[in-house]
Amino acid sequence: QLHLVESGGGLAQRGGSLRLSCSASGSTLDNYAVTWFRQAPGKEREGVACIGRNGKSTYYTQSAKGRFTVSGDSAKNTVYLQMNGLNPEDTAVYYCAADVTVGDACYMNPLVMNYWGQGTLVTVSS
């Protein structure tokens, strides 16, 4: 069974960068669509970026475009979220989630996700 663990969160200053990791075990992450979600205090969980099976597709929300990059490393069975140009509005708990799929698309709907990590906190100071 697939198990996901996020890491890399912490405190960053406005304009700074963080690299989040979603490390998988129990199965090959390349066979899943992987989505990064975030949830800020008092807000609903929202999709940020996703990557399809074998990295063949990506999608970003408008707020993430040009600042965030999602990528995968098959050898490490890990998906990353590189976050640049951080602002305080990016403060949230970030989760990675995986969806069992046979296609190349990735999904921003949390309802279709089959596996979730525990989350990692990102705090961006003003």
Side-chain angles (χ1 to χ4, degrees):
Q1 181 164 329
L2 185 68
H3 180 64
L4 304 175
V5 177
E6 301 96 334
S7 62
L11 178 64
Q13 297 184 16
R14 179 189 293 272
S17 299
L18 287 172
R19 188 195 195 197
L20 306 184
S21 298
C22 178
S23 180
S25 61
S27 190
T28 301
L29 198 54
D30 273 348
N31 295 329
Y32 300 81
V34 178
T35 303
W36 285 97
F37 296 89
R38 68 185 182 188
Q39 188 164 24
K43 302 291 185 179
E44 294 184 345
R45 189 169 298 186
E46 64 172 350
V48 178
C50 66
I51 184 168
R53 294 176 68 247
N54 301 305
K56 292 186 176 181
S57 66
T58 58
Y59 179 82
Y60 301 90
T61 60
Q62 186 63 40
S63 64
K65 289 179 181 177
R67 299 190 301 131
F68 295 0
T69 303
V70 62
S71 62
D73 187 330
S74 296
K76 296 182 178 179
N77 208 25
T78 299
V79 166
Y80 303 96
L81 183 67
Q82 178 67 48
M83 304 187 296
N84 300 323
L86 289 166
N87 59 63
E89 289 69 40
D90 296 316
T91 295
V93 176
Y94 284 72
Y95 302 87
C96 66
D99 176 40
V100 177
T101 181
V102 297
D104 294 334
C106 65
Y107 311 97
M108 302 292 282
N109 184 357
L111 298 178
V112 308
M113 299 294 125
N114 300 115
Y115 302 95
W116 291 83
Q118 81 294 333
T120 185
L121 176 62
V122 170
T123 302
V124 184
S125 62
S126 60

